[in-house]
Amino acid sequence: MGKSLIEAEIAATRDGGVTRVQIRELREELERERAEGRERERQLERYASDLSDIFKAERRRSDQLRESYVATVRALTNAVEARDAYTGKHAERVAAYGLELARRISPALAADPQTEFGFLLHDVGKVAIPDDVLHKAGDLTADEEALMRRHPEIGQEIVAHIRFLDTASLTVRYHHERWDGRGYPDGLAEREIPLAARIFAVGDALDAMTTDRPYRPGTPFGAARAEIEAAAGTQFDPTVVEMLDHIPDELFERLRAQTG
Ligand SMILES: [Fe+2]
C-alpha cells in the first residue's frame, strides 16, 4: 500500500525544502482566493448599486405617473366645478373631509389614491347636464329632475374605462345612494353601497350644510353634525356617523381653510 496523503505531508514537513515550497504555494493560493473574494465583493457592490439605481428610477417613474393621475383628476374636477360658482371648491373640501373620516374607518381605503379620486370626481357626470337645468333657480320639472338624477350613471360611464379610476368610478355611481335604500340610481342599501360612497355621503352633507349659499349662510359645524346624527341609520351609515364624533370641529374648520 502506498503512503497516505497525511503520511506524505508529514514526510514533506520533515524535509524543510519541500515545506517552504508548499508554504509559498499555499500563500499564493490564499492570495488568489483573497483576490477572488475582493472581486466578488466588488461585483456584489456593483449589483447592489445597479439595483438601487433601478429602484430609484422606478420610484421616479411611479411618482411621475401618480402626479399625472392627480393632475388629470384635478383637471376633470375643475372642469365640473368651473360651471358652478356657488359650490367653489366643494369637491376638494368633501375629499378632505371624506379622507379624514376614511383614515379612522379604514386606513387602507384612505391610502388608496382611488378613494380620493372618487371623492373629487363624484359629480363629473354633471358635465352632461345642460346649464338651464343645472343652474335653474326654481323647482325642477319631473323630466329635469329625472335628467339631473342621471348624473351618477353618466359620471361612471365617463370614468369607468380609465383603468386608474375603476374603483373611483364606484363612488361616482353610488354617491347618492342612502343607507335605507331610498337613494339613487340603484336603490342599494346598507353595506351593498361601497364603503367609500357611504363615507362620501357624510362628508358631502357636512360640506353642503356648512357652506354659504346665495340664499342662506352656512350652518356651524356643530349644528350640521347634529343634523347628520339625526339621519344616521336612514340616510347615512351609522358607523360612519359615529366616526364623525371623533373628529373635532376645529379640524374640519382647518381643512376648510386649507382647501379654500
Ligand atoms: Fe351628485
Side-chain angles (χ1 to χ4, degrees):
M1 231 175 112
K3 285 179 183 174
S4 72
L5 275 174
I6 293 172
E7 284 167 336
E9 282 286 322
I10 293 166
T13 307
R14 270 193 235 110
D15 182 341
V18 175
T19 305
R20 275 197 295 280
V21 169
Q22 281 186 321
I23 289 171
R24 197 174 61 241
E25 283 174 355
L26 279 170
R27 276 190 182 141
E28 282 168 2
E29 199 179 324
L30 195 64
E31 194 38 53
R32 269 198 305 278
E33 277 178 10
R34 278 185 183 150
E36 281 172 20
R38 283 195 293 272
E39 181 50 32
R40 273 196 297 273
E41 245 174 64
R42 278 194 292 273
Q43 214 167 38
L44 277 174
E45 277 166 15
R46 279 197 296 272
Y47 288 153
S49 155
D50 286 354
L51 267 177
S52 160
D53 288 349
I54 290 169
F55 177 72
K56 280 182 201 155
E58 204 50 53
R59 202 165 51 186
R60 260 198 310 277
R61 265 195 294 274
S62 128
D63 285 351
Q64 281 166 354
L65 197 60
R66 194 189 152 111
E67 279 163 24
S68 339
Y69 287 170
V70 172
T72 307
V73 169
R74 297 229 176 258
L76 268 170
T77 307
N78 291 341
V80 178
E81 301 228 307
R83 293 184 63 207
D84 197 342
Y86 298 135
T87 55
K89 299 240 172 183
H90 165 70
E92 295 213 7
R93 286 192 304 270
V94 175
Y97 299 167
L99 283 179
E100 207 50 56
L101 280 162
R103 277 187 207 105
R104 286 161 168 82
I105 296 163
S106 164
L109 184 75
D112 180 351
Q114 293 218 35
T115 303
E116 183 179 8
F117 294 164
F119 291 166
L120 286 168
L121 290 170
H122 64 280
D123 268 345
V124 70
K126 283 189 178 170
V127 294
I129 309 296
D131 277 350
D132 56 341
V133 175
L134 192 67
H135 297 142
K136 190 169 178 182
D139 291 342
L140 298 179
T141 65
D143 284 350
E144 288 166 345
E145 179 70 31
L147 177 62
M148 191 67 159
R149 285 166 74 105
R150 286 204 60 229
H151 80 269
E153 290 164 86
I154 296 168
Q156 188 196 28
E157 281 160 24
I158 291 171
V159 296
H161 305 293
I162 303 170
R163 195 182 296 170
F164 78 88
L165 294 175
D166 53 359
T167 317
S169 76
L170 298 178
T171 303
V172 175
R173 183 178 182 98
Y174 298 119
H175 74 277
H176 284 292
E177 297 289 359
R178 290 170 50 111
W179 183 254
D180 59 12
R182 291 172 51 228
Y184 63 93
D186 297 314
L188 299 186
E190 303 188 359
R191 291 190 170 77
E192 288 172 341
I193 308 165
L195 178 58
R198 281 181 266 145
I199 293 173
F200 171 86
V202 172
D204 188 34
L206 188 67
D207 185 59
M209 284 188 242
T210 54
T211 301
D212 290 336
R213 295 294 161 96
Y215 46 90
R216 59 135 178 90
T219 313
F221 277 105
R225 200 187 276 279
E227 270 194 57
I228 290 171
E229 274 163 20
T234 50
Q235 187 172 352
F236 305 115
D237 176 349
T239 316
V240 178
V241 175
E242 200 185 309
M243 234 11 103
L244 194 64
D245 276 345
H246 298 275
I247 306 175
D249 289 354
E250 297 72 42
L251 181 48
F252 284 124
E253 272 154 16
R254 197 162 65 237
L255 292 173
R256 181 167 60 181
Q258 279 166 2
T259 44

